[in-house]
Amino acid sequence: MMRQVRRGPAVPPGPRSAYGDPGPAAPPHGAGVPRQPSYVDGQGHEEGAGYGDYDSGYNTGQVYGGSGGRGPGGTAGAPTRAPRPAPNWRRRIKWTAITLATVLVVTSIATYFWADSKLRREVDLSKVIDRPDGGDGTNYLIVGSDSREGMSKEDEKKLHTGGAEGKRTDSMMILHVGGNGDTLISLPRDSDVVVPSYQGSTSGKTYPAQGRHTKLNATYAEDGPTLLVRTIEANTGLRIDHYVEIGFQGFAGIVDAVGGVDITIDKGFKDKWSGADFKAGKQTLNGQQALAFVRTRHAFAASDLQRTKNQQKFLAALAHQVATPSTILNPFKFYPTMGAGLDSLIVDKDMSLWDLGSMFWAMKGVSGGDGTSMNMPISGSVGGNLVWDKAKVKTLVDELNNGEKVTVSGN
């Protein structure tokens, strides 16, 4: 039992003067003031009174006070948050397109100047004398040399190139890009030709014609690209507009950069001289294997004629491989391939990237069946050299110069 504490006498109603003096008397119960609970039974309410008779304002979590018009729990005077505007998709798409176009243009320009700076414009065709008139289209002389530039002794052994000094050419092709179809003509290295008068590439001295016969590739070894061009023009009457040369190391580098080249070999063959060892069937050749494939001639009865056909077949497969989306659209493959090719190419001084691109796409077109691939027409041989069929060669050159469809076939 708690001891009851007796309170002092209630302060009578009435005004208080100060500090404890009573102010105005409270209005009697029922005059607009809610009834307050008494503590008669110590429970905080009178006996018989329900909890619903008194609402403290806390039982629903409501906080009384000004809300600044924001509802319960608001803060007086707090600013309201504006709704987030809907995204402007048209504007976003526009600026995304502009950004992508800018990046593409800048990348293309940078790639052009990068590629152009890599071209080795070392051959001066202006030194070639007594040239025939040009005809329809553009004629490219494509040469594969046995240059060992940049190769170590280990590279020479690995690629079976030997260590001979100087440069010779194992493959020569004329690619004619014309309005009536493109034509790829292989010139066998053992072709019998007459050496014309020519101007020395280094000395500038003019050497008169002496009616001397030699193999076509010997003219390249004698005085380089300009004498080779002069000899081809004199023996065919076809003007060469551009010159492109690639060496052993560069050729193997391009094949490796593109990830190898898929090719189908009809009949297996071996050759100790080139290092070739192939079985029949479809396979992927790396740089070393590709070089062996295009250089082999001792394994064939047709010797150099079969080799030129293999060279055309492989170059067609290489052009197709380089032009696939997996190479062009992949910068990690595209730039190494471009770099390997451009670093190893020797071209004439007037060659542009546009000309080089035209040559490449024409080569790809010929490989896809949109053009003609052939050997130079042969009529026989003399002293181990292959003799061109002069009548067929004249017809072929006339058709090329006049923009006519080629009707001549080669061996």
Side-chain angles (χ1 to χ4, degrees):
M1 294 293 294
M2 292 185 64
R3 187 175 180 181
Q4 185 174 2
V5 180
R6 189 168 188 174
R7 302 179 184 274
V11 179
R16 301 187 179 190
S17 59
Y19 299 109
D21 290 341
H29 178 68
V33 179
R35 182 179 178 181
Q36 302 299 312
S38 66
Y39 292 84
V40 175
D41 59 355
Q43 301 295 325
H45 57 82
E46 295 181 2
E47 186 177 356
Y51 288 100
D53 295 339
Y54 170 68
D55 184 3
S56 65
Y58 292 91
N59 58 342
T60 61
Q62 179 179 353
V63 178
Y64 290 99
S67 61
R70 297 181 59 194
T75 303
T80 58
R81 177 179 295 178
R84 170 179 279 183
N88 189 334
W89 288 109
R90 179 177 296 180
R91 188 168 181 269
R92 290 187 180 185
I93 293 173
K94 172 186 174 182
W95 282 108
T96 300
I98 291 175
T99 301
L100 290 176
T102 302
V103 171
L104 181 62
V105 170
V106 171
T107 302
S108 299
I109 294 174
T111 299
Y112 177 88
F113 284 105
W114 167 77
D116 188 73
S117 67
K118 284 183 169 293
L119 277 180
R120 298 170 58 184
R121 297 180 173 92
E122 299 176 5
V123 178
D124 188 0
L125 294 182
S126 66
K127 294 182 178 180
V128 181
I129 62 174
D130 300 332
R131 309 192 69 185
D133 295 332
D136 174 78
T138 304
N139 299 311
Y140 298 86
L141 177 60
I142 304 171
V143 173
S145 77
D146 66 357
S147 170
R148 293 154 179 81
E149 181 182 0
M151 294 175 63
S152 64
K153 293 297 182 182
E154 184 178 343
D155 292 332
E156 292 175 358
K157 183 178 180 180
K158 176 182 176 182
L159 298 176
H160 295 269
T161 63
E165 297 294 330
K167 291 198 304 182
R168 285 150 294 278
T169 175
D170 281 341
S171 60
M172 291 158 285
M173 301 179 185
I174 295 175
L175 175 64
H176 173 80
V177 181
N180 202 8
D182 303 326
T183 306
L184 183 63
I185 309 164
S186 287
L187 311 176
R189 54 164 274 176
D190 294 336
S191 297
D192 183 83
V193 292
V194 177
V195 180
S197 60
Y198 68 96
Q199 179 178 305
S201 59
T202 303
S203 65
K205 178 182 176 181
T206 299
Y207 296 87
Q210 299 175 347
R212 175 166 55 101
H213 285 252
T214 188
K215 292 182 178 182
L216 181 60
N217 72 328
T219 62
Y220 176 91
E222 183 175 334
D223 198 46
T226 53
L227 178 55
L228 176 63
V229 170
R230 169 74 177 125
T231 302
I232 291 173
E233 289 185 342
N235 283 263
T236 64
L238 187 68
R239 184 184 180 96
I240 301 299
D241 299 296
H242 291 294
Y243 178 91
V244 180
E245 177 185 325
I246 186 169
F248 284 162
Q249 185 84 333
F251 179 80
I254 293 174
V255 175
D256 286 334
V258 81
V261 174
D262 298 329
I263 194 169
T264 299
I265 298 177
D266 298 326
K267 185 178 180 180
F269 60 89
K270 290 184 180 181
D271 180 21
K272 68 177 182 178
W273 300 100
S274 67
D277 185 3
F278 299 108
K279 293 181 172 57
K282 185 176 181 179
Q283 49 207 286
T284 301
L285 306 187
N286 60 25
Q288 177 183 346
Q289 295 168 324
L291 188 58
F293 181 80
V294 300
R295 293 183 61 223
T296 298
R297 66 186 179 113
H298 296 286
F300 310 121
S303 187
D304 203 39
L305 290 178
Q306 181 60 45
R307 175 167 66 173
T308 57
K309 292 179 180 179
N310 285 348
Q311 290 170 349
Q312 288 184 354
K313 181 177 183 177
F314 186 84
L315 288 178
L318 176 60
H320 177 76
Q321 187 81 13
V322 171
T324 57
S326 62
T327 299
I328 295 177
L329 300 180
N330 183 356
F332 297 103
K333 186 180 287 188
F334 174 75
Y335 284 102
T337 301
M338 285 277 290
L342 295 173
D343 280 340
S344 56
L345 289 181
I346 296 175
V347 299
D348 65 273
K349 293 184 179 297
D350 294 326
M351 175 74 82
S352 68
L353 283 178
W354 179 264
D355 295 322
L356 195 61
S358 176
M359 182 196 80
F360 172 78
W361 288 110
M363 181 81 72
K364 181 179 180 296
V366 170
S367 70
D370 294 333
T372 302
S373 296
M374 59 183 292
N375 277 326
M376 185 65 81
I378 304 297
S379 61
S381 64
V382 55
N385 295 347
L386 298 173
V387 178
W388 293 350
D389 188 322
K390 293 184 179 179
K392 287 187 176 181
V393 169
K394 184 178 185 310
T395 300
L396 173 63
V397 171
D398 287 344
E399 290 175 341
L400 295 177
N401 280 335
N402 295 327
E404 301 171 355
K405 186 175 180 58
V406 172
T407 61
V408 178
S409 61
N411 301 71

